[in-house]
Amino acid sequence: MESTRSKWLWILASLLILVWTVFPILWIVMLSFKQPGEVGNQKGFFPKDWTWENYRTVFKTDLFTSALVNSIGISVIATFVGVVFATLVAYAIARLEFPGKKLILSFALAIAMFPVVSLVGPLFNLWRDIGLYDTWPGLIIPYISFALPLAIWTLSAFFREIPWEMEQAAQVDGATTWQAFRKVIVPLAAPGVFTAAILTFFFCWNDFVFGISLTSSDQARPVPAALAFFTGASQFEQPTTAICAAAVVVTVPVVVIVLAFQRRIVAGLTSGAVKG
Amino acid sequence: MTAVHSAPAPGQSRAGRAEISDRSRAERRLGLLLSAPAVLVMLLVTAYPLINALYLSLFSYRITAPDDKRFVGLANYWTALSDPLFWQDVFTTFFITFVTVAVELVIGFGLAMVMHRALFARRTVRTAILLPYGIVTVISAFAWRYAFDLQSGFVNSWFGLGDYAWFSGRWSSLFVIILSEIWKTTPFVSLLLLAGLAQVPRDLGEAATVDGATAWQRLRRVTIPNMKAAILVAVLFRTLDAWRIFDNVFIMTAGQQKTETLSFLTYRQTITRTAIGLGDAVGVLLFLSVVLIAFVFIRGFRVDLSQVRGDR
């Protein structure tokens, strides 16, 4: 049915999409390889003299290296704790009969819609009062709380699809409860948990509002916030190329994750939107 | 906050008919116990600060002058609502939200169609579409800002615009902000729409073709009506998301050139100016506007939220 002409149209459309999505990323990469002084004199897309200088600059800058450590540490911890909490809730929702299920799902949804900035003022006060301001836990706690809705919804949609009877079948065949759970349910649940972990990590990695509001120093400031305050090697120069080098460093892991787990991420983002 | 018409699949009730009370009571307890940590964290970070914000918004209070803290009732709200800057920010936020959501819906639908139909490199296209979703918003904001910047950018020389300063005017700044927002979040829309497309029964389209419907008619009469739920869900989530836009504005203009949004105003009052009372009043107004939008969507359009999951 598909005529040759329309086939070519689809191919053209696919190519256009590739250009549109990859182009800005490529632009940041190109900028990161330009000489700091070249910016402003030469306005082309590609660098004239390729250089690693910017990468050396950012890794010599304490602000960036500490921010990178903060971002990795805070995001990993928040992802881990958040996914554990979300798994417990999702298991309960998919498996157990108890009052308040709908309430929990609605509450999570309400938080997903919450304007984060509305909370920043009061949290700023509260954190300063109890000593969480400018600390890792001070960011981890809000990250967990705001990443939970996505994780809970993704996981409970996923867990509902698991055929839980298989566990009982294993028990009938002589496995203990724990064995049945570990050998049958855990392998089935693992991909969903993993998907939720990726999405949660993206969320924490991406945060900016909490990052700039609840931190004030190298101690806890994550990369996105650090980039906004970055001054580069010299206080008197626009650190455009150095910021881009830092941006590339932060983007590489994300691109790798996207390339490796493309299918999982799509499944996670649309789970619940597609039934059956 | 919202009425959710959620229809969870009935959980596998393990309580047999014989052992009702003990077993089901234990199950209830376990269910609540497992949910407790997540619910507690969410309450700690949202409920308490929200109540605190409501309370403090009734005071004239600045961190720099704690002794001057005094109860002023609704005066902060009156100050905000009667300030022309507040309404300018409301309009800016509305404009950004309206344009991004409308454009994203069109582009997102196009992308979803290509992913749905593509014969060539389907996997590559899908992976590429996910890239902007994964990129940190601040970084995409920098990418677009530098592209349009007079010093570093290539846009002006490519399009022969000479010394046109994009960030010196309100509308051109908003254009770049909106462009980067669209680039960053269209993948989300297109994935939801792709899921919706997959739900449209194929034989309906085929039947329409047999009856002599053109491609456009099929799209309008068959495809779109069958994806209504997915479209509404995408629009609802993107509207609420765009309504609290912050990162792009902060990086590109820092609210200069009348590009300040409601989120930015709240941030500026509470954190930069440390005018806690007034800032919290603006924050509460922002929160109320989100509730209102959600309410209108869920009631007015009958969005079936059992089909959604949260996302930001």
Side-chain angles (χ1 to χ4, degrees):
Chain A
M1 286 255 290
E2 209 79 55
S3 67
T4 338
R5 208 182 109 231
S6 75
K7 200 172 118 191
W8 279 106
L9 273 178
W10 288 116
I11 292 179
L12 186 69
S14 305
L15 286 175
L16 273 177
I17 291 176
L18 287 179
V19 172
W20 162 250
T21 54
V22 175
F23 185 71
I25 301 172
L26 194 66
W27 159 239
I28 280 276
V29 175
M30 288 305 128
L31 211 45
S32 76
F33 283 111
K34 287 184 180 179
Q35 305 278 358
E38 187 182 325
V39 173
N41 304 324
Q42 190 255 354
K43 292 173 185 175
F45 189 80
F46 297 102
K48 230 177 359 207
D49 303 306
W50 296 70
T51 172
W52 286 100
E53 189 188 333
N54 302 307
Y55 289 89
R56 277 193 291 272
T57 307
V58 294
F59 278 107
K60 267 190 298 191
T61 315
D62 290 343
L63 179 65
F64 179 71
T65 45
S66 63
L68 197 59
V69 173
N70 290 338
S71 260
I72 293 172
I74 291 172
S75 301
V76 168
I77 296 173
T79 303
F80 180 76
V81 179
V83 169
V84 169
F85 284 4
T87 307
L88 298 179
V89 177
Y91 176 81
I93 285 172
R95 194 71 196 282
L96 305 172
E97 222 27 82
F98 68 101
K101 267 198 218 188
K102 271 190 189 177
L103 191 69
I104 291 174
L105 283 175
S106 318
F107 181 49
L109 194 62
I111 288 185
M113 298 174 175
F114 218 94
V116 172
V117 175
S118 296
L119 297 181
V120 148
L123 270 182
F124 176 73
N125 281 337
L126 178 63
W127 272 194
R128 276 162 27 114
D129 287 345
I130 60 179
L132 283 180
Y133 181 70
D134 202 22
T135 63
W136 279 27
L139 284 183
I140 291 173
I141 295 169
Y143 285 3
I144 294 174
S145 155
F146 277 92
L148 269 172
L150 178 61
I152 291 176
W153 277 78
T154 310
L155 275 172
S156 53
F158 185 87
F159 280 4
R160 279 189 201 125
E161 307 291 316
I162 292 182
W164 298 97
E165 304 81 22
M166 282 172 64
E167 185 189 353
Q168 278 150 356
Q171 284 184 38
V172 171
D173 287 347
T176 65
T177 314
W178 174 242
Q179 276 177 332
F181 183 75
R182 199 169 54 95
K183 297 249 163 94
V184 179
I185 298 302
V186 171
L188 285 173
V193 175
F194 188 70
T195 306
I198 294 178
L199 296 177
T200 305
F201 183 81
F202 276 8
F203 176 86
C204 302
W205 197 244
N206 188 32
D207 164 74
F208 181 62
V209 178
F210 288 128
I212 55 167
S213 316
L214 302 180
T215 64
S216 62
S217 71
D218 294 6
Q219 238 189 333
R221 185 172 278 156
V223 171
L227 283 182
F229 297 116
F230 197 46
T231 47
S234 155
Q235 297 285 334
F236 301 104
E237 230 173 79
Q238 265 287 331
T240 306
T241 51
I243 286 180
C244 291
V248 172
V249 174
V250 177
T251 305
V252 168
V254 170
V255 172
V256 171
I257 295 176
V258 167
L259 291 179
F261 304 111
Q262 169 259 134
R263 200 172 280 277
R264 293 258 176 83
I265 299 170
V266 174
L269 281 175
T270 53
S271 70
V274 204
K275 286 263 172 88
Chain B
M1 175 184 92
T2 47
V4 176
H5 313 289
S6 144
Q12 301 285 325
S13 171
R14 290 198 295 177
R17 221 177 300 153
E19 355 106 77
I20 311 164
S21 55
D22 264 9
R23 189 118 197 210
S24 73
R25 201 176 308 136
E27 195 170 297
R28 279 171 163 224
R29 206 176 316 126
L30 181 62
L32 292 173
L33 202 67
L34 292 178
S35 314
V39 172
L40 285 181
V41 178
M42 291 195 285
L43 279 176
L44 169 71
V45 178
T46 54
Y48 172 77
L50 187 66
I51 292 165
N52 193 237
L54 274 170
Y55 171 75
L56 285 177
S57 70
L58 303 176
F59 286 84
S60 169
Y61 176 38
R62 294 190 65 155
I63 284 190
T64 45
D67 298 336
D68 287 350
K69 182 177 173 181
R70 64 196 159 82
F71 183 78
V72 291
L74 294 174
N76 283 327
Y77 291 94
W78 174 247
T79 309
L81 288 172
S82 61
D83 193 319
L85 183 67
F86 176 82
W87 291 105
Q88 181 188 297
D89 291 0
V90 170
F91 174 76
T92 306
T93 314
F94 174 80
F95 182 77
I96 293 175
T97 305
F98 184 79
V99 176
T100 47
V101 175
V103 174
E104 280 177 17
L105 203 58
V106 175
I107 299 180
F109 193 77
L111 296 185
M113 289 289 272
V114 174
M115 285 193 283
H116 194 58
R117 300 277 304 274
L119 312 155
F120 154 82
R122 187 198 290 254
R123 240 196 83 169
T124 317
V125 171
R126 216 156 74 157
T127 311
I129 278 182
L130 277 177
L131 284 177
Y133 174 80
I135 302 288
V136 174
T137 314
V138 168
I139 290 175
S140 94
F142 270 123
W144 290 98
R145 179 182 135 189
Y146 289 150
F148 283 84
D149 191 82
L150 267 182
Q151 292 294 314
S152 58
F154 59 89
V155 171
N156 281 8
S157 57
W158 277 21
F159 296 97
L161 290 170
D163 284 342
Y164 185 73
W166 289 89
F167 296 109
S168 68
R170 182 184 193 188
W171 299 106
S172 53
S173 304
L174 283 177
F175 173 80
V176 185
I177 290 172
I178 287 173
L179 192 63
S180 76
E181 178 78 356
I182 289 173
W183 181 77
K184 162 87 184 143
T185 50
T186 303
F188 174 68
V189 176
S190 64
L191 287 175
L192 280 191
L193 293 181
L194 178 65
L197 268 179
Q199 281 178 312
V200 177
R202 196 165 275 247
D203 38 335
L204 275 182
E206 279 160 14
T209 318
V210 173
D211 289 348
T214 62
W216 174 243
Q217 282 172 330
R218 284 205 306 273
L219 184 70
R220 261 192 48 209
R221 298 279 167 80
V222 180
T223 311
I224 292 182
N226 274 294
M227 309 170 50
K228 214 179 120 213
I231 294 175
L232 284 175
V233 163
V235 171
L236 168 66
F237 269 81
R238 276 301 304 139
T239 303
L240 292 173
D241 203 15
W243 191 255
R244 51 193 178 182
I245 182 170
F246 181 81
D247 308 15
N248 300 6
V249 178
F250 189 99
I251 295 299
M252 292 197 182
T253 60
Q256 298 300 304
Q257 317 299 348
K258 300 182 181 173
T259 56
E260 189 173 73
T261 61
L262 282 175
S263 278
F264 202 91
L265 179 66
T266 311
Y267 170 82
R268 202 160 57 82
Q269 294 304 317
T270 48
I271 304 294
T272 317
R273 285 192 66 213
T274 60
I276 299 289
L278 184 57
D280 281 344
V282 179
V284 170
L285 289 172
L286 175 64
F287 171 70
L288 290 178
S289 66
V290 166
V291 174
L292 182 72
I293 295 172
F295 181 80
V296 167
F297 264 94
I298 290 166
R299 275 292 137 83
F301 298 100
R302 304 191 182 288
V303 181
D304 181 7
L305 284 178
S306 64
Q307 298 205 340
V308 222
R309 0 51 74 259
D311 182 73
R312 64 148 276 127

